[in-house]
């Protein structure tokens, strides 16, 4: 009975049988975040940016496995979560190059904005498949966790992008880089919390 209720809810919210629609977010000037594509599933269950990439092997000292972007492979969530933990644990080191410059782009890599073979590639599609493996009696928790995850992923990405060019934008400088990197770090902590909740709902252990 619970499964039937879940399926009915998923159908009504557009999770089942729904095609993703994209919204293009433009920038008014070169000093703002440029156009990017935000993929939103129809209905309130999923709303998140299409995510593309991961962390370079040298960054965390271990070779990372290549993924075939299988939307049904929930273990990708575990690997992505562990990469986020590694980034947060060694934030200052990982976000600083050997030349001593801050590298905010690594944040976007961990979020999955660089390669189609990385764990969090197309996170929206991965979560759309994963909901079918979650507990039907905890569907409200799932909706809350995944919606919050989408919001904080978007925020962390945009702050990191702004930090990347903060030194060169009008009125910018190293202090602006540090400012937006810190904003991004705080958002990444929230991403970590939300993704851990998703793993718990799927009975997956990091």
């Amino acid at each position: 009975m619970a499964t039937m209720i879940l399926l009915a809810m998923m159908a009504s919210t557009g999770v089942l049988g729904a095609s993703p629609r994209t919204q293009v977010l433009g920038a008014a000037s070169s000093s703002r975040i440029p156009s990017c594509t935000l993929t939103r599933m129809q209905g309130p269950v999923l709303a998140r940016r299409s995510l593309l990439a991961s962390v370079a092997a040298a960054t965390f000292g271990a070779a990372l496995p290549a993924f075939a972007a299988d939307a049904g492979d929930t273990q990708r969530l575990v690997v992505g979560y562990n990469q986020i933990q590694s980034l947060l644990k060694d934030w200052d080191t990982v976000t600083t190059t050997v030349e001593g410059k801050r590298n905010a782009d690594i944040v976007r890599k961990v979020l999955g904005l660089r390669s189609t073979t990385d764990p969090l590639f197309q996170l929206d599609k991965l979560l759309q498949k994963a909901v079918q493996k979650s507990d039907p009696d905890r569907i409200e928790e799932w909706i809350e966790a995944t919606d919050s995850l989408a919001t904080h992923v978007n925020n962390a990405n945009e702050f990191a992008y702004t930090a990347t060019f903060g030194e060169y934008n009008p009125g910018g400088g190293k202090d602006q880089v540090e400012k937006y990197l810190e904003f991004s770090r705080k958002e990444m902590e929230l991403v970590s919390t939300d993704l851990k909740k998703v793993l718990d709902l799927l009975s997956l252990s990091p």
Side-chain angles (χ1 to χ4, degrees):
M1 184 64 180
T3 300
M4 294 177 65
I5 294 175
L6 171 61
L7 293 176
M9 293 176 65
M10 291 166 63
S12 65
T13 55
V15 174
L16 295 179
S19 299
R21 59 185 177 85
T22 58
Q23 298 179 343
V24 176
L25 304 179
S29 68
S30 61
S31 66
R32 298 178 61 185
I33 298 171
S35 299
C36 57
T37 300
L38 176 63
T39 300
R40 291 184 178 275
M41 301 307 303
Q42 294 177 350
V45 177
L46 296 174
R48 47 201 104 285
R49 188 185 302 270
S50 181
L51 305 177
L52 307 172
S54 126
V55 184
T59 302
F60 300 114
L64 301 177
F67 291 84
D70 178 7
D73 183 8
T74 53
Q75 283 300 315
R76 288 169 48 199
L77 294 171
V78 176
V79 177
Y81 175 81
N82 288 333
Q83 289 180 0
I84 292 171
Q85 299 314 298
S86 295
L87 172 62
L88 290 173
K89 179 180 179 181
D90 299 310
W91 180 266
D92 288 338
T93 300
V94 175
T95 59
T96 304
T97 68
V98 292
E99 293 82 12
K101 295 183 178 181
R102 298 311 294 268
N103 175 26
D105 196 54
I106 193 65
V107 177
R108 304 181 72 229
K109 289 183 178 181
V110 174
L111 290 175
L113 297 168
R114 284 293 175 268
S115 173
T116 60
T117 61
D118 288 322
L120 296 183
F121 172 65
Q122 293 187 335
L123 180 59
D124 57 330
K125 294 182 179 179
L126 180 56
L127 293 175
Q128 184 186 16
K129 290 282 187 179
V131 68
Q132 301 173 39
K133 301 179 181 181
S134 65
D135 185 348
D137 295 327
R138 302 179 69 184
I139 187 62
E140 291 184 2
E141 293 179 67
W142 176 270
I143 294 172
E144 181 181 355
T146 53
D147 282 350
S148 181
L149 175 60
T151 296
H152 296 304
V153 164
N154 292 340
N155 291 343
N157 170 47
E158 292 175 0
F159 285 139
Y161 189 93
T162 302
T164 299
F165 297 98
E167 191 170 350
Y168 309 104
N169 287 335
K174 292 183 178 180
D175 58 331
Q176 291 299 303
V177 174
E178 295 295 336
K179 172 184 175 180
Y180 283 98
L181 257 179
E182 178 61 14
F183 285 163
S184 186
R185 184 190 66 79
K186 290 180 178 179
E187 289 295 326
M188 287 299 290
E189 290 181 343
L190 297 173
V191 168
S192 174
T193 298
D194 292 334
L195 187 51
K196 180 58 168 60
K197 180 65 174 181
V198 169
L199 294 180
D200 290 344
L201 290 169
L202 293 170
S203 298
L204 294 173
S205 300

